[in-house]
Amino acid sequence: MFDWIKERHRAGKQKSENTGTGKVLYGPIPKSIRAVRERLDEIFSCCSDVIIRVIACGEKKKIIVVYIDGFIDKRLLNQDVIHPVINFLTNVESKDDVSIYDWLKECVVINSDLKDANDMGQAVHGIVSGEAAIFIDGEDRALVAGVKTPEGRQVEEPDTETSIRGSREGFVENLVTNMVLIRKRIKNPELKMEMMQLGERTKTDICICYIKGIANEQILEEVRKRLREIKTDAILDTGIIEQYICDNRLSLFPTVGNSEKCDKLAGKLLEGRVAIICDGTPYVLTVPYLFIESIQTTDDYFDHAFFATFMRILRLIALMISNLLPSIYVALVVFHQTVIPFKLMITFAASQQGIPFPPFVEVLLMIIAFEFLREAGVRMPKPIGEALSIVGAIVLGEASVAAGIASNLMVIVTAITAVCSFIVPPFIRVTMLLRFVFLAAANFMGFFGIILVGITVYIHLCRLRSFGVPYMAPFAPLTVPDLKDSIIMVPVWAMITRPKILRQQENVRGIKGSKRQREENRK
């Protein structure tokens, strides 16, 4: 089935490249201002928000200014474009031997963001992007002035990634603002930002961000290649880009990272990763993405290494508990009662007294009920969602025990599983599905089924790649220098080299340092 989908996609892509399907060609700009007006009326028909302003003084040449109402700053438009053009046209007689286009570009329009549009397509793109296009009678080109109004929310702390000691600034939906936030943290001309557009209809602005000399050129070229191969009508979020560029599209595990925090992204860039910023979304993608990054946080690097190591171990244990605890409970009760201590076995037997369902069905119902509450808390308005998830869980747990549908131990197991699943946010959706797989294996084969599924998942993780980099690095393959920033974290001052597995061109983090650091650098 999937081979058929790939074949159809490849055929559609080839047809699009051969016939140009989806690409609207507007042609050259007419020299006659009347023809320009007719062409604009045809292109923007039924667009009531498109304003076409005609400026003329007597019998002199006319000028048309086109913009989208509400998308531009009218004060800036009047100050930089309209007012200077009107003043110029009133005195144009003394400049009849000079091109009006050159005068407007070099002397009259005072906007700092002024570009040429050599065909109607470029002018239309500027208009729909929030800029003002200036058409001049007798000219087959136009000027595009950047007068876009600042829109969107202000820079604030992201709700999805809270920090104790780190920066409170998070990315917003404006691409330019996000680029500035990165520049504030990496003040270096080697920080490169390449612009491109994706989406045949949306023409969404995309920025590829990396540090030249640190980022691997092969990975960078692979990023450019995969982005250029995206053929779709709309790119509305980085989540769409992620599904197109990820290595294994059928894998549950994410091979492309995402973040809303500026300081976190700056650290990833300095390690040699490549970032992909999309206009209209606060989430920024980073590649390559490794399994170990799921248990790392920015606060780890701002705290003592011992505390950071302890917290990473706790996160790894929580990840295992969220996947395995319900299945271990079912395996113990159904298959392996003999390994349970006698006193604990009595407690298990007492809790199961009067429960009409087998342990597997009991666990399944409780986990599904928890997923219902979690999804309802996410989708409902924030004040209602918080109350629903907290009160609903308490009421549902107590009512289930009182009605004899679930045991006390089952409620405790579900609660611990739920808490642990939130400790590692990148794997919330992964653990949600894997939990059911482990649970089914435990119900049919006990611990043997759990071990079998666990080995299968581990083999799958070892086979995964993220832009050519092994997903389980630095453990598989074992990369000893990179273990300094894995589960056990060494102090920041001892992290002399960048991750070796990324194969950077410049592997040493700093030239200067202590005598010990300089000696290790020479080695």
Side-chain angles (χ1 to χ4, degrees):
M1 177 180 176
F2 294 107
D3 293 338
W4 177 79
I5 294 176
K6 292 180 180 179
E7 187 65 29
R8 291 293 299 272
H9 177 72
R10 191 181 302 110
K13 176 183 172 182
Q14 184 176 2
K15 180 180 178 181
S16 177
E17 291 176 351
N18 294 336
T19 62
T21 303
K23 295 183 179 180
V24 181
L25 301 178
Y26 296 103
I29 298 175
K31 287 191 175 183
S32 172
I33 204 68
R34 179 178 296 179
V36 171
R37 179 61 185 268
E38 293 175 355
R39 191 78 180 94
L40 291 172
D41 290 337
E42 178 185 352
I43 294 173
F44 294 107
S45 60
C46 301
C47 297
S48 58
D49 57 342
V50 176
I51 307 300
I52 301 177
R53 170 76 183 275
V54 181
I55 303 175
C57 291
E59 299 297 330
K60 302 182 180 67
K61 290 185 176 181
K62 295 181 179 180
I63 294 177
I64 291 181
V65 180
V66 188
Y67 59 91
I68 296 179
D69 190 20
F71 209 173
I72 57 99
D73 188 342
K74 291 186 177 180
R75 183 191 61 82
L76 194 62
L77 176 67
N78 293 330
Q79 174 183 317
D80 293 358
V81 180
I82 303 295
H83 187 65
V85 168
I86 292 177
N87 289 339
F88 170 75
L89 289 179
T90 57
N91 302 312
V92 74
E93 293 179 354
S94 59
K95 309 174 183 65
D96 288 337
D97 57 337
V98 182
S99 171
I100 295 180
Y101 183 92
D102 294 334
W103 270 98
L104 291 181
K105 180 179 179 181
E106 298 175 5
C107 303
V108 178
V109 179
I110 61 177
N111 187 272
S112 59
D113 185 11
L114 196 62
K115 297 173 290 186
D116 294 310
N118 297 318
D119 54 46
M120 186 62 75
Q122 294 180 2
V124 170
H125 176 71
I127 295 171
V128 298
S129 298
E131 300 173 315
I134 307 169
F135 298 91
I136 304 164
D137 192 12
E139 294 285 348
D140 58 354
R141 49 185 176 166
L143 291 173
V144 177
V147 290
K148 181 186 296 186
T149 180
E151 77 281 352
R153 60 187 176 92
Q154 298 297 318
V155 176
E156 56 189 13
E157 183 178 7
D159 294 330
T160 57
E161 296 178 273
T162 57
S163 180
I164 299 176
R165 295 187 60 179
S167 171
R168 296 294 190 270
E169 289 184 337
F171 292 116
V172 295
E173 287 75 12
N174 188 283
L175 177 62
V176 177
T177 303
N178 293 340
M179 294 167 66
V180 172
L181 290 174
I182 299 174
R183 287 283 184 191
K184 283 174 57 179
R185 285 160 176 78
I186 306 178
K187 302 179 180 67
N188 194 311
E190 298 301 320
L191 176 63
K192 307 299 181 181
M193 296 188 178
E194 300 179 4
M195 298 296 298
M196 63 186 306
Q197 289 183 345
L198 295 180
E200 298 293 341
R201 300 291 180 182
T202 59
K203 302 294 183 183
T204 307
D205 291 326
I206 306 295
C207 177
I208 303 175
C209 183
Y210 62 95
I211 300 179
K212 186 177 181 180
I214 295 181
N216 188 294
E217 286 295 334
Q218 294 180 354
I219 296 177
L220 182 59
E221 187 57 35
E222 183 67 21
V223 172
R224 296 193 188 106
K225 176 185 175 183
R226 296 189 188 185
L227 289 176
R228 286 194 298 263
E229 290 177 349
I230 297 178
K231 302 296 180 182
T232 183
D233 281 348
I235 295 294
L236 304 177
D237 189 85
T238 51
I240 299 177
I241 300 176
E242 179 180 351
Q243 296 180 61
Y244 275 102
I245 67 174
C246 63
D247 286 70
N248 193 332
R249 299 180 181 180
L250 300 180
S251 176
L252 296 178
F253 294 88
T255 55
V256 177
N258 63 80
S259 177
E260 283 189 88
K261 288 184 63 64
C262 314
D263 53 348
K264 180 178 179 179
L265 181 69
K268 299 295 183 186
L269 293 175
L270 291 169
E271 286 183 348
R273 288 175 172 83
V274 180
I276 303 171
I277 313 172
C278 176
D279 190 22
T281 174
Y283 285 93
V284 177
L285 303 180
T286 57
V287 293
Y289 182 78
L290 307 181
F291 177 87
I292 193 64
E293 294 182 58
S294 62
I295 64 171
Q296 296 174 342
T297 64
T298 52
D299 287 333
D300 294 345
Y301 303 95
F302 307 146
D303 209 340
H304 198 286
F306 292 157
F307 301 139
T309 300
F310 179 70
M311 294 309 300
R312 288 185 179 183
I313 294 174
L314 284 184
R315 295 185 197 114
L316 186 60
I317 294 174
L319 180 62
M320 298 175 64
I321 290 176
S322 62
N323 280 294
L324 300 177
L325 185 59
S327 57
I328 291 176
Y329 174 82
V330 171
L332 287 174
V333 174
V334 176
F335 285 94
H336 310 285
Q337 298 93 341
T338 56
V339 302
I340 304 176
F342 180 72
K343 293 183 178 180
L344 185 59
M345 187 62 197
I346 295 177
T347 304
F348 275 32
S351 65
Q352 291 292 324
Q353 191 75 23
I355 303 299
F357 304 111
F360 173 74
V361 177
E362 181 187 1
V363 174
L364 195 63
L365 290 176
M366 292 301 296
I367 292 179
I368 292 176
F370 162 71
E371 294 299 335
F372 282 155
L373 289 173
R374 185 185 64 83
E375 188 67 16
V378 172
R379 302 304 171 191
M380 293 292 289
K382 190 173 182 180
I384 302 176
E386 293 177 353
L388 177 67
S389 58
I390 296 174
V391 177
I394 296 175
V395 172
L396 184 63
E398 292 182 353
S400 300
V401 175
I405 299 176
S407 62
N408 291 323
L409 283 175
M410 189 63 256
V411 173
I412 295 174
V413 168
T414 304
I416 295 176
T417 303
V419 171
C420 291
S421 65
F422 290 113
I423 295 179
V424 186
F427 284 165
I428 287 181
R429 298 186 182 277
V430 177
T431 56
M432 178 181 65
L433 297 179
L434 283 182
R435 196 177 300 132
F436 292 104
V437 177
F438 279 108
L439 191 59
N443 184 60
F444 290 107
M445 293 181 286
F447 282 152
F448 178 75
I450 296 176
I451 295 173
L452 187 63
V453 173
I455 293 175
T456 304
V457 172
Y458 184 74
I459 293 175
H460 172 69
L461 290 174
C462 292
R463 288 171 58 88
L464 277 181
R465 296 290 185 272
S466 177
F467 285 78
V469 179
Y471 191 62
M472 289 299 292
F475 305 107
L478 182 63
T479 310
V480 177
D482 292 353
L483 293 176
K484 62 182 179 299
D485 190 17
S486 56
I487 298 177
I488 298 176
M489 175 181 168
V490 302
V492 175
W493 48 263
M495 295 185 185
I496 304 172
T497 59
R498 295 185 176 87
K500 186 178 180 181
I501 196 66
L502 298 180
R503 305 185 301 274
Q504 306 90 331
Q505 299 176 18
E506 181 185 322
N507 193 39
V508 180
R509 289 182 182 268
I511 302 301
K512 296 182 179 180
S514 63
K515 181 178 179 180
R516 178 180 56 185
Q517 292 175 345
R518 291 195 297 269
E519 291 176 353
E520 293 184 3
N521 289 346
R522 295 192 194 100
K523 295 179 182 179

